[in-house]
Amino acid sequence: MAAALPPATLEGWYALHQMFAVDWARLGAESADRREALLTEAAAHFSAAASDAGWSAAFQLVGGGADLLFVHFRESIDEIGGVETALRRSRLAAYLRLEYDYLSVTEAGLYHLTAEVAREHEPGTEGYDKAIAERSAQEGASHQVKSRLYPRIPEEMRYVSFYPMSKRRVAGDNWYLLPIDVRSQLMRDHGLTGRRYAGRILQVITGSIGLDDWEWGVTLFARDPLEFKRIVTDMRFDEVSARYGEFGRFFTGIRLEASDWQNLFAP
Ligand code: 76R
């Protein structure tokens, strides 16, 4: 049997999701002045405006076994490493304990394009590689793909959901052995379900094969947290999730604006 064909992908910003538990007792024992200085410093860090080079945002976790979620997007893994180091050296770090983190990179999976090219050229040939490179570059130039690879934080969507997931690889239900046409069709159906949530959910898909324990990170933003429940329920009934989806830990958070920090940490 010929090896199933991997989809061409495009990558953009690297992403790091960090979940921290707060040492409330220690923080509460600090003088009001010191606490205020710490929180002002932290708030300033996260209110840094989104730029072409990436952004960081902070969320209060609700449940999930941790207190804070920091989400960072940067152009290189070196810069992500720099963010980690800077945070470790910050004054706030003494009050934080890392509970979970997730490294990935924004990804656009080009299933449809790959399936199309595979119908015209024999995979592995020069013609195939050339067609994939050309059409991927075209896709990458589109506004739609750029907004997936370099996502802006939706200011009006205060709620975030993050979870890692993988595609199943068990006898009978192995995603990685399916022909590209079949995967392309299943992903098309997935996209159609997703599009019903246009304007209500913003999804950021980050790929983590070879980078972390699961295969993708799913970061969703919404105005109403019930939309998370709705879309994830709807998708459970799409074949690609029903048959092939495997899920990690779910985290739900509320965006922390600069003015929320003092409130959250008030003794
Ligand atoms: O072009 C298309 O029509 C499809 C675009 C598309 C891709 C390639 C898309 C659309 N997704 C893609 C890839 Mn998605 N997505 C999830 C989840 O809980 C679950 O069952 C699944 C978690 C949600 C909620 C969601 C939402 N998506 C992916 C991938 C990579 C898989 C791969 O490459 O094999 C994963 C893991 C994944 C998971 N998806 C959409 C959405 C929404 C809302 C859309 C439509 C929005 C849009 O068109 O931008």
Side-chain angles (χ1 to χ4, degrees):
M1 190 173 79
L5 203 54
T9 57
L10 290 169
E11 284 79 19
W13 282 336
Y14 282 84
L16 182 67
H17 293 68
Q18 301 178 296
M19 291 69 171
F20 290 100
V22 174
D23 187 340
W24 298 103
R26 187 163 179 204
L27 193 62
E30 296 295 350
S31 71
D33 280 359
R34 177 162 168 86
R35 208 171 45 236
E36 177 149 355
L38 273 169
L39 297 176
T40 306
E41 185 183 298
H45 182 75
F46 287 101
S47 69
S51 77
D52 288 345
W55 49 267
S56 293
F59 302 85
Q60 173 187 355
L61 286 172
V62 182
D67 299 305
L68 293 173
L69 163 66
F70 297 160
V71 180
H72 313 280
F73 287 101
R74 291 295 184 282
E75 284 179 310
S76 68
I77 203 162
D78 298 64
E79 285 167 77
I80 290 283
V83 166
E84 238 185 344
T85 310
L87 192 68
R88 216 176 275 140
R89 289 189 189 136
S90 75
R91 290 195 288 174
L92 189 67
Y95 309 88
L96 301 179
R97 192 181 67 240
L98 188 70
E99 288 291 326
Y100 189 71
D101 65 358
Y102 205 81
L103 176 67
S104 53
V105 59
T106 58
E107 175 189 290
L110 308 175
Y111 283 93
H112 179 70
L113 179 159
T114 307
E116 226 172 55
V117 172
R119 282 194 288 273
E120 295 160 17
H121 301 272
E122 183 64 28
T125 62
E126 216 174 291
Y128 176 87
D129 290 346
K130 194 160 166 272
I132 287 279
E134 277 172 13
R135 294 205 213 162
S136 301
Q138 272 168 21
E139 286 276 318
S142 75
H143 174 74
Q144 198 212 357
V145 170
K146 275 194 191 146
S147 66
R148 281 206 204 134
L149 300 182
Y150 308 102
R152 301 285 142 181
I153 184 153
E155 293 295 340
E156 72 293 358
M157 293 178 166
R158 292 179 60 230
Y159 301 98
V160 71
S161 168
F162 173 79
Y163 51 98
M165 65 176 292
S166 293
K167 295 279 175 64
R168 188 163 296 145
R169 273 175 282 132
V170 298
D173 286 333
N174 188 332
W175 173 256
Y176 295 92
L177 291 177
L178 294 177
I180 184 69
D181 284 334
V182 175
R183 277 173 290 138
S184 175
Q185 182 59 47
L186 289 170
M187 286 308 292
R188 187 176 168 275
D189 294 344
H190 164 82
L192 291 176
T193 300
R195 263 177 246 157
R196 293 210 306 267
Y197 287 82
R200 292 188 283 152
I201 290 275
L202 180 92
Q203 72 143 3
V204 179
I205 292 301
T206 50
S208 47
I209 294 184
L211 295 177
D212 215 315
D213 295 348
W214 296 79
E215 295 169 349
W216 288 277
V218 179
T219 307
L220 307 174
F221 295 96
R223 232 172 265 115
D224 173 356
L226 274 182
E227 300 284 18
F228 299 141
K229 182 170 181 291
R230 292 187 190 114
I231 192 170
V232 176
T233 303
D234 269 2
M235 289 198 167
R236 290 288 155 107
F237 291 90
D238 277 335
E239 192 174 347
V240 66
S241 293
R243 192 186 286 270
Y244 301 105
E246 297 201 336
F247 299 87
R249 216 166 138 176
F250 281 70
F251 298 90
T252 308
I254 309 170
R255 178 88 186 272
L256 277 177
E257 304 292 348
S259 57
D260 298 328
W261 284 81
Q262 300 289 347
N263 232 346
L264 179 67
F265 292 95

